[in-house]
Amino acid sequence: MRDFYHPSLAAKEAEIPHILGLTASPTQNNKIGALETIEKNLNAVCRTPRIHREQLLQYVHQPSMKSIFYAQNLSRTRSLALQSLSKVYAELDIEQDPYVIRLRAAGVNSKRLRDTLMSKKTHSRDQIKSVLTVANNVASELGSWATDYYISSCIRKFGTHSSVGLDSFDFLEDTEKRYLQKTLAEVTCPPSGDSLIPGDLRITPKVHRLIDALTEEIKDGFSGLIFVETRASVAILAQQLSLDPRTRALFRIGTFVGTSTFDQRKSKVGELSYTDNQSETLDDLRSGKKNLIVATSVLEEGIDVSACNVVICFQKPPNLKSFIQRRGRARQSKSTYVVMFEEGTDSAALHNWQKLEEEMKQKYMDDMRHLEDIYAQEDTEDDSREFVVESTGAKLTLHDSVQHLYHFCATLPSVKYAELDPIFMYEGDAGDKKGVIAKVVLPNSADAAVRNFQSSQSWKSEKNAKRDAAFEACVSLHYSGLLNDHLLPEVGLEEAIAYAAVEKRESLVTCADQLNPWPAIAKAWHSKPTIYKSTIQLRSDRGKAADMLLLSPCVLPQASSIDLHWNARDAYRASILNGEQEKYDDAKVVTLNQITELLLSSIYRSRMVPTRHGFPLLLAPPESTTDYSKWREQVTGTNRLYILLQDMLLEDVGLVRDMQQNGLRYIFQGLEDRKTVSRVISSSTSGKESSEEECLHLKVLKLPKRTDFLHPITSIEAYRSPTVHASLPADACEIDNLPFAYSRFAMFFPTIMNQIEISMVTEHLCKNLLSAINFQNTELVTTAISAPSAQYATNYQRFEFFGDSALKYLTAVTLMTQHLNWHEGYLSSKKDHIVSNARLAYVAREVGLDKYILTKAFTGHKWSPLYNEDLLREQPTKTRELSTKVLADVIEALIGAAWLDGGHEKALICLSTFNPAINWLPLSDCQKILASVITPIPLELFPSHFTHLEDLIDHKFSSKSLLLEALTYPSHVDSIATPSYQRLEFLGDSVLDFIITTKLFHHHPSLPHQTMHLIRTALVNANFLAYHCMSNSVSLHLAQPIEDKSTGIFSTVETSVHKSIWHFMRHGFSAGVGLAQDRCLTRFTALKSDIAKALREGTTYPWTLFARLDADKFFSDIIESLIGAIYIDTSGSMPACEAFLTTIGVLPYLDRVLAEKVHLLHPKEELGIMAVDEKVSY
């Protein structure tokens, strides 16, 4: 209306629509003056109809108001049913409750059982208690007869409903239903009778007075409404009126309580109202079948009800809205609106509502009404000033500038005891010729450069001056980058929209399959390349095991040594050493393929195709072997033992194959003495005969089936591993010519090949995506991309812990530097977006990091040799499902790896790789920028007592204004426009986190990441920091005047006062802050000795004591803001920040935690562990 309708109206454009509005009550928030606002906005005038007014009044009538008073209920007649029900409830045995019995059957140690026994809250008890609660209210409002009727009706209703199994009670177990029926049967309910007598003492004076009022109003065509508060009262009062001899013949009574649309709503035994056929009740009222409805407030509005001539409020209407709406139901001619009051109570509310309504009517009944003089003056001033952002078309006018400014201030970081609204001040009066000038001051959370503004000119009214000052502020905020091009405070709106879907992080996403480097190796063989030799050295504690040559068409990355666990006793270490290179030779390559086939087939023959060659990596005996063809001939095939004995070749025997068991393989251990064996031989006379003869036996050990040599053998595997030597007849065995050392190498080769694959994946990542970082230690990268699911010797978890903190620290410093005028709210929002797992996971997929993440565990169980022909065959694109948490973790781990490889410089390069949109400046540049914008303050304005604080924290500030800022609460205002501590607290939070993280990460011996998490959580806990803020104090010597009472003469006395860090916080005498400090100080005084003892010598972290301390956030904020201030004051010196943390006791406690292994697990986490599968509710 403001931006389009009214400008078009002023321009007298054609076809501007006229607006007709209809309202029953033109008020907003009960304020009469709001009527002019409605008229102005709609370009309309509020009027009651004048034409046909007489005809209108024939159908719309104002009821006469009537107040009736009733005597206080002093009757001593008590409900026998209520007394009995109270007694039954009081004597309930919780141990007999079906719910408790069911819990006991589940186990006596159940937490739920203990809680139930303490609270005595069960479904059955709650149902009985609800009846008792309503019954007491009924007794007070309606009397003992109504109470007896209510209780007996509830018991009867429940017995009927539960016996037929109605769904309304299906939340109760059958045992609970039977228990309720049995318990309620013990309640004595006297017969209430089917009639009442006038003056019956079982009815309250209030009900008697209601009956009198009804009988006074009865006449032909009577129709009435009675409003009561509760659903139960509706049913009971209707029953009373239908039985009382004074009313039962006069009124045809119905009830209306509305219906619940909540499907899961549970019925209650004490719910007496019936909601069936309620629409028929209203129809009956319209048709005259019923002439009196008892209803709850649901009938006040929204339901078409015929006009009544009597409306009675059994209780006082709760507010003006109910008062007007209920009265609106009495629209018949000469109708009456009755409100009931107890004698002696204040009925002034009724008169106040009537007075307010009269004022409202007077406002809109006047035929001619003029605006106030002040509005007339405003209309004469030129208020057409506007500011338009060309890129978006967003427009700021004087009319909406105040709302824009309030919106900006509302987005400032909220604090508990500080107002965020802008403060407007005025110079001059509206009646003066000089006019009014407005000034506006924004909260100190905003940057000092955009905190004070004034109107561009003087105005005739404060309202326009205020708009002008707000206009100036908004324009400046926009040019400062604090309002975006949409003139909204959401900085980075476009970026937020772009990543809106990302922020809703899915748990699993489809990613590229793990990179397979072998097709590239296979392709290289086809070009007949130079062949590169590497030596694989296999060593054990017993010395040299075997050396093999590894030949490839390219230089293999230098892989780290590989630990291979042969069995529970023996372990080997494989080292790959790059060697020389030689020209490609077809014949030699063929021989090498044959040798590779020979070696691998000794173990994996069943998984190979005979005579099929073309392996990506080729194997050969050591360099000492010059004739590969001859060597191959020597080790091919098998021999009998007697041949080996003849040639004396038992020193390097190959695998033993038991031909009686289809060539089952054994490891040769030596020869045994001759043994007698039974043999079956053929005979020409008798067919088959058995004979005995002596035969040489072999001592052997069964070849293990183990394929996973990366991990130490488990106890189960050790139990299953063959350790007992077997004895085989020599003439039933064949022995491989290939020495066992080579067969054992073949068993290790899949594991070695897997490690080479990992090295190639790492190398590919370092040479492509991470090339700018120039990693020197690529093993760090391998660790950073190894997910725990891969089950390698190391994984990314420790690196992720370190990298997460480094990311937050570098992001905080960068944002502080690049956005010098951003308040903490903007900074935190931007940082949270940058470091969020959702964004990191999105970036990981965008840059292609997902294909490098190692997630597959290698076991070798189904390993089979690779062939170049298969590798070169085009394969369909494979994908895998990865957790978005894993994707984010890998980026954080790589940041940590980069820092470990080359300090924060390489970490910043890593950040630039994954987030190039941000200008990641070197830390030294950031620190210079932060120091350069510090506004120095004159020494005379620096509080002298702050020097004692510098002594307390053992740091003398070069820039005193930093110390002032670190201790300025958002509610404080001073003449030098000191900012609040919130920006420094934002920085200090990240610095503190990084200091603790760094110390934990570099601790020796290395700590598991779970342990580091526990320790860091305890050390940065808000109550832990608050305790140190309150416990560190300095003694101040003050001179105080003391009066001599006898002489009246004052003298000066030196006194000593202890001031803690928190005492130096400046909060502008905020009553809220002061009260919070006093309350926390009381708790601290009671707990400090226990906390100090726990931190000094306790074996567990005092979580419970800190929870009882329950310090306000500003106590811990001060510690973090001081860290931020020291960081900037010392140009980013971490040792200076650590010195402060040492002085106040944070780091000494860290040292004790590490040295004495203090138990840090939070009680809630311990309870969760103890509960196992049980759900823990608080």
Side-chain angles (χ1 to χ4, degrees):
M1 292 294 292
R2 179 188 65 241
D3 293 338
F4 298 98
Y5 184 91
H6 286 284
S8 299
L9 184 67
K12 299 182 179 180
E13 297 180 5
E15 300 183 2
I16 299 299
H18 296 286
I19 298 172
L20 172 65
L22 299 177
T23 176
S25 178
T27 62
Q28 293 178 341
N29 301 323
N30 297 339
K31 294 181 179 180
I32 304 303
L35 180 60
E36 284 81 2
T37 303
I38 296 176
E39 291 181 326
K40 196 170 183 179
N41 289 341
L42 298 183
N43 188 37
V45 178
C46 184
R47 292 285 186 271
T48 56
R50 299 303 300 268
I51 303 177
H52 308 298
R53 180 179 179 84
E54 295 79 5
Q55 184 180 0
L56 177 65
L57 291 177
Q58 293 177 11
Y59 300 98
V60 179
H61 308 279
Q62 290 288 338
S64 61
M65 299 296 303
K66 186 176 182 180
S67 301
I68 62 173
F69 296 86
Y70 57 89
Q72 186 178 1
N73 183 18
L74 300 177
S75 173
R76 296 186 178 181
T77 304
R78 300 192 63 187
S79 164
L80 296 178
L82 179 57
Q83 295 180 53
S84 178
L85 177 62
S86 300
K87 183 174 182 295
V88 168
Y89 180 74
E91 294 176 352
L92 285 177
D93 184 358
I94 189 66
E95 292 290 348
Q96 301 302 316
D97 193 286
Y99 183 64
V100 173
I101 295 173
R102 190 162 67 250
L103 290 180
R104 282 216 180 276
V108 295
N109 293 323
S110 167
K111 178 182 180 300
R112 190 179 303 171
L113 173 61
R114 295 194 300 270
D115 291 345
T116 302
L117 292 175
M118 291 180 62
S119 66
K120 294 187 178 182
K121 285 183 64 66
T122 67
H123 293 311
S124 304
R125 290 179 66 90
D126 287 348
Q127 290 291 329
I128 299 173
K129 184 178 180 180
S130 71
V131 177
L132 185 60
T133 300
V134 175
N136 279 304
N137 181 64
V138 170
S140 173
E141 287 281 309
L142 304 178
S144 60
W145 181 92
T147 309
D148 289 340
Y149 170 78
Y150 167 71
I151 294 174
S152 61
S153 298
C154 289
I155 294 173
R156 184 170 57 252
K157 176 188 173 185
F158 176 72
T160 303
H161 280 215
S162 60
S163 62
V164 299
L166 291 182
D167 291 341
S168 56
F169 289 101
D170 62 357
F171 64 94
L172 293 174
E173 299 286 339
D174 290 340
T175 54
E176 291 173 322
K177 293 179 183 177
R178 289 193 294 271
Y179 176 75
L180 274 174
Q181 288 178 327
K182 177 177 175 298
T183 302
L184 292 174
E186 298 175 7
V187 178
T188 302
C189 295
S192 58
D194 56 0
S195 64
L196 295 167
I197 60 174
D200 198 322
L201 294 178
R202 296 176 298 164
I203 298 177
T204 61
K206 186 174 185 179
V207 176
H208 281 302
R209 189 68 185 89
L210 170 67
I211 293 174
D212 292 342
L214 286 171
T215 55
E216 291 170 5
E217 296 292 337
I218 190 66
K219 57 185 175 183
D220 292 340
F222 174 89
S223 64
L225 281 175
I226 302 174
F227 283 102
V228 299
E229 285 185 350
T230 66
R231 297 161 67 95
S233 296
V234 168
I236 300 168
L237 185 58
Q239 182 69 6
Q240 279 184 311
L241 295 177
S242 62
L243 293 178
D244 193 284
R246 294 168 292 176
T247 55
R248 63 186 175 188
L250 299 176
F251 303 106
R252 300 175 296 279
I253 303 171
T255 62
F256 195 93
V257 295
T259 57
S260 173
T261 58
F262 180 43
D263 294 337
Q264 303 301 319
R265 184 175 183 270
K266 297 178 181 178
S267 292
K268 294 181 180 179
V269 176
E271 190 172 86
L272 193 57
S273 59
Y274 299 95
T275 58
D276 297 338
N277 304 319
Q278 290 199 106
S279 60
E280 294 181 7
T281 298
L282 298 181
D283 292 338
D284 290 344
L285 180 65
R286 298 184 189 102
S287 65
K289 290 182 180 180
K290 286 183 171 55
N291 61 358
L292 181 62
I293 303 296
V294 184
T296 59
S297 59
V298 71
L299 211 57
E300 289 178 355
E301 61 175 331
I303 299 175
D304 183 19
V305 180
S306 297
C308 301
N309 50 31
V310 174
V311 172
I312 300 177
C313 297
F314 195 63
Q315 287 89 12
K316 184 177 68 174
N319 49 49
L320 175 60
K321 173 185 173 185
S322 293
F323 171 78
I324 294 177
Q325 289 176 337
R326 291 180 181 186
R327 190 196 58 193
R329 296 305 190 187
R331 298 193 301 271
Q332 285 193 15
S333 176
K334 299 180 180 179
S335 56
T336 304
Y337 182 41
V338 179
V339 181
M340 300 186 69
F341 295 94
E342 186 179 37
E343 291 178 352
T345 60
D346 183 14
S347 60
L350 178 64
H351 302 295
N352 291 337
W353 292 334
Q354 290 175 305
K355 180 179 178 182
L356 181 60
E357 186 181 28
E358 286 299 322
E359 292 178 8
M360 179 186 71
K361 290 193 320 186
Q362 184 62 40
K363 277 283 187 180
Y364 69 76
M365 290 287 287
D366 290 342
D367 290 336
M368 297 298 294
R369 194 171 65 254
H370 300 285
L371 294 174
E372 302 284 346
D373 291 341
I374 189 67
Y375 294 136
Q377 291 184 23
E378 291 173 2
D379 289 341
T380 63
E381 293 187 296
D382 181 12
D383 57 2
S384 60
R385 191 175 173 207
E386 62 181 34
F387 172 78
V388 179
V389 180
E390 294 184 4
S391 61
T392 63
K395 182 166 64 174
L396 177 72
T397 68
L398 287 180
H399 294 281
D400 57 23
S401 59
V402 175
Q403 294 93 315
H404 273 283
L405 188 59
Y406 270 87
H407 186 196
F408 170 77
C409 291
T411 63
L412 294 171
S414 60
V415 285
K416 197 169 184 180
Y417 305 108
E419 293 292 335
L420 297 181
D421 292 340
I423 300 173
F424 289 92
M425 297 168 286
Y426 305 94
E427 294 180 0
D429 296 321
D432 292 346
K433 293 182 179 180
K434 293 182 179 180
V436 178
I437 292 178
K439 295 182 179 179
V440 61
V441 179
L442 304 191
N444 69 0
S445 300
D447 184 65
V450 289
R451 201 180 303 163
N452 295 278
F453 302 94
Q454 76 173 38
S455 54
S456 61
Q457 65 181 64
S458 62
W459 296 81
K460 296 179 180 179
S461 68
E462 289 184 354
K463 185 173 184 179
N464 281 339
K466 177 180 180 180
R467 289 172 173 176
D468 189 12
F471 185 92
E472 293 293 323
C474 289
V475 172
S476 181
L477 289 171
H478 171 69
Y479 284 128
S480 300
L482 299 176
L483 290 180
N484 61 22
D485 286 347
H486 299 276
L487 296 178
L488 296 173
E490 292 81 11
V491 170
L493 179 65
E494 296 79 5
E495 182 180 11
I497 293 173
Y499 290 104
V502 178
E503 294 303 332
K504 298 178 181 179
R505 181 169 66 93
E506 304 174 63
S507 58
L508 291 174
V509 289
T510 301
C511 299
D513 197 19
Q514 186 173 308
L515 177 68
N516 183 1
W518 298 115
I521 301 294
K523 185 177 180 180
W525 278 113
H526 273 255
S527 62
K528 296 185 178 183
T530 299
I531 297 178
Y532 295 87
K533 295 181 180 180
S534 300
T535 301
I536 302 179
Q537 294 180 344
L538 203 60
R539 300 288 185 270
S540 73
D541 294 339
R542 301 179 183 182
K544 180 178 178 181
D547 284 351
M548 291 293 294
L549 286 181
L550 186 68
L551 299 100
S552 62
C554 58
V555 179
L556 294 178
Q558 190 70 42
S560 58
S561 297
I562 309 163
D563 291 325
L564 303 167
H565 303 274
W566 174 250
N567 54 35
R569 299 179 306 278
D570 301 323
Y572 296 84
R573 172 161 289 187
S575 303
I576 304 175
L577 307 175
N578 290 336
E580 300 176 354
Q581 60 189 52
E582 61 182 41
K583 292 183 179 180
Y584 185 90
D585 182 283
D586 285 324
K588 189 172 184 178
V589 169
V590 171
T591 302
L592 292 172
N593 270 283
Q594 292 171 342
I595 291 174
T596 304
E597 179 197 16
L598 172 66
L599 292 170
L600 298 180
S601 63
S602 69
I603 300 297
Y604 307 106
R605 184 177 301 169
S606 62
R607 305 179 190 178
M608 300 176 66
V609 179
T611 70
R612 188 181 184 193
H613 299 157
F615 302 99
L617 296 179
L618 300 179
L619 298 173
E623 289 283 4
S624 57
T625 304
T626 56
D627 191 340
Y628 291 147
S629 296
K630 183 178 180 180
W631 182 86
R632 173 179 167 274
E633 291 175 2
Q634 291 174 348
V635 299
T636 300
T638 61
N639 266 316
R640 294 288 183 171
L641 179 63
Y642 71 90
I643 298 177
L644 297 176
L645 289 174
Q646 290 175 356
D647 296 336
M648 300 300 291
L649 298 175
L650 292 179
E651 291 185 0
D652 204 356
V653 176
L655 286 172
V656 177
R657 300 179 185 269
D658 184 357
M659 305 313 295
Q660 292 179 329
Q661 301 183 64
N662 297 320
L664 187 63
R665 295 169 297 186
Y666 293 86
I667 303 172
F668 180 76
Q669 300 292 300
L671 297 176
E672 291 188 338
D673 295 336
R674 291 179 175 272
K675 294 182 181 180
T676 301
V677 297
S678 298
R679 297 185 184 279
V680 178
I681 60 176
S682 299
S683 172
S684 59
T685 58
S686 60
K688 293 184 177 180
E689 295 181 359
S690 175
S691 67
E692 294 184 353
E693 61 181 49
E694 287 189 347
C695 176
L696 187 66
H697 278 64
L698 305 181
K699 184 180 180 182
V700 296
L701 190 66
K702 193 174 182 180
L703 185 71
K705 294 182 179 180
R706 178 171 165 79
T707 57
D708 177 12
F709 300 104
L710 278 177
H711 304 97
I713 192 167
T714 64
S715 57
I716 296 177
E717 289 178 315
Y719 175 77
R720 294 175 178 173
S721 298
T723 57
V724 179
H725 293 129
S727 181
L728 297 177
D731 60 0
C733 299
E734 291 184 354
I735 301 177
D736 286 356
N737 290 329
L738 180 69
F740 173 66
Y742 292 107
S743 296
R744 179 166 49 198
F745 178 86
M747 293 182 72
F748 286 148
F749 186 64
T751 303
I752 296 172
M753 195 171 179
N754 174 256
Q755 295 301 298
I756 294 173
E757 177 180 332
I758 292 172
S759 298
M760 289 193 290
V761 171
T762 300
E763 181 184 57
H764 193 279
L765 173 60
C766 291
K767 289 185 176 179
N768 291 275
L769 181 58
L770 304 181
S771 60
I773 302 174
N774 189 26
F775 273 98
Q776 299 301 303
N777 184 358
T778 57
E779 291 184 19
L780 296 173
V781 179
T782 301
T783 299
I785 62 176
S786 298
S789 61
Q791 300 179 17
Y792 295 138
T794 60
N795 60 54
Y796 64 59
Q797 289 179 314
R798 278 176 43 84
F799 283 17
E800 178 272 330
F801 176 81
F802 179 71
D804 170 76
S805 184
L807 169 62
K808 292 174 180 175
Y809 164 58
L810 294 174
T811 301
V813 175
T814 299
L815 292 178
M816 282 278 290
T817 302
Q818 296 185 0
H819 304 286
L820 296 170
N821 64 353
W822 275 18
H823 57 71
E824 184 267 337
Y826 281 0
L827 293 171
S828 293
S829 178
K830 186 69 173 179
K831 187 188 82 168
D832 291 345
H833 177 71
I834 292 173
V835 306
S836 71
N837 282 344
R839 173 164 174 76
L840 295 178
Y842 173 84
V843 169
R845 295 169 69 197
E846 281 292 296
V847 301
L849 178 64
D850 50 341
K851 67 182 178 183
Y852 297 105
I853 301 176
L854 308 175
T855 59
K856 300 175 183 176
F858 178 80
T859 63
H861 181 62
K862 296 183 179 180
W863 186 88
S864 60
L866 299 177
Y867 295 97
N868 293 335
E869 180 183 354
D870 297 337
L871 293 169
L872 292 173
R873 190 177 297 119
E874 187 174 348
Q875 300 291 335
T877 302
K878 293 182 179 180
T879 59
R880 55 178 168 168
E881 295 289 310
L882 286 183
S883 163
T884 49
K885 177 70 166 58
V886 169
L887 292 166
D889 286 350
V890 170
I891 286 187
E892 292 172 339
L894 285 170
I895 294 169
W899 189 298
L900 296 172
D901 191 65
H904 70 268
E905 294 86 358
K906 284 196 174 183
L908 288 168
I909 297 173
C910 187
L911 285 171
S912 298
T913 300
F914 294 117
N915 196 341
I918 294 179
N919 182 21
W920 300 94
L921 295 174
L923 280 181
S924 58
D925 292 352
C926 293
Q927 290 149 4
K928 289 177 182 177
I929 293 172
L930 291 174
S932 67
V933 296
I934 299 172
T935 303
I937 61 170
L939 286 178
E940 60 270 18
L941 295 179
F942 183 71
S944 59
H945 64 284
F946 271 43
T947 57
H948 298 290
L949 176 60
E950 291 180 306
D951 294 336
L952 173 59
I953 64 177
D954 196 21
H955 181 83
K956 293 294 182 181
F957 277 85
S958 301
S959 301
K960 303 297 185 183
S961 58
L962 282 172
L963 181 58
L964 280 185
E965 182 178 344
L967 293 161
T968 300
Y969 192 71
S971 63
H972 182 79
V973 179
D974 59 21
S975 60
I976 54 177
T978 305
S980 74
Y981 63 56
Q982 291 167 304
R983 275 177 57 91
L984 291 177
E985 180 264 329
F986 166 80
L987 175 62
D989 174 76
S990 298
V991 173
L992 170 64
D993 187 278
F994 188 66
I995 288 173
I996 302 297
T997 298
T998 302
K999 288 188 172 295
L1000 293 174
F1001 185 84
H1002 291 294
H1003 180 265
H1004 183 77
S1006 296
L1007 300 171
H1009 77 283
Q1010 299 96 330
T1011 301
M1012 293 193 294
H1013 272 293
L1014 283 175
I1015 297 175
R1016 184 174 66 184
T1017 300
L1019 267 291
V1020 301
N1021 174 263
N1023 280 308
F1024 175 77
L1025 297 177
Y1027 166 79
H1028 288 288
C1029 179
M1030 304 181 77
S1031 62
N1032 283 273
S1033 62
V1034 63
S1035 180
L1036 302 184
H1037 297 285
L1038 303 177
Q1040 290 188 340
I1042 302 296
E1043 181 184 9
D1044 187 331
K1045 298 295 184 181
S1046 60
T1047 63
I1049 300 174
F1050 285 88
S1051 59
T1052 302
V1053 178
E1054 291 286 334
T1055 60
S1056 180
V1057 179
H1058 289 279
K1059 294 292 183 181
S1060 299
I1061 295 175
W1062 66 272
H1063 283 107
F1064 294 89
M1065 186 181 78
R1066 308 187 306 161
H1067 56 82
F1069 303 103
S1070 167
V1073 174
L1075 184 60
Q1077 289 175 332
D1078 291 342
R1079 289 173 176 172
C1080 192
L1081 180 60
T1082 301
R1083 297 192 296 271
F1084 172 77
T1085 303
L1087 297 170
K1088 64 179 180 180
S1089 59
D1090 291 338
I1091 295 176
K1093 183 177 180 181
L1095 295 180
R1096 184 176 61 253
E1097 57 189 50
T1099 58
T1100 60
Y1101 185 82
W1103 287 109
T1104 305
L1105 292 173
F1106 282 142
R1108 290 169 58 191
L1109 179 62
D1110 191 24
D1112 283 83
K1113 185 175 180 294
F1114 57 74
F1115 287 101
S1116 59
D1117 286 348
I1118 293 172
I1119 298 297
E1120 292 174 337
S1121 64
L1122 283 171
I1123 295 172
I1126 294 171
Y1127 180 87
I1128 296 177
D1129 190 58
T1130 59
S1131 298
S1133 171
M1134 285 296 184
C1137 297
E1138 292 176 13
F1140 165 67
L1141 292 172
T1142 300
T1143 299
I1144 65 173
V1146 173
L1147 292 186
Y1149 184 67
L1150 172 61
D1151 294 336
R1152 180 173 174 265
V1153 166
L1154 294 172
E1156 302 180 22
K1157 296 182 173 57
V1158 175
H1159 184 69
L1160 298 170
L1161 197 62
H1162 194 281
K1164 289 179 67 175
E1165 296 177 0
E1166 289 193 271
L1167 182 60
I1169 294 172
M1170 294 171 62
V1172 192
D1173 295 330
E1174 288 192 63
K1175 182 180 180 181
V1176 180
S1177 300
Y1178 295 95

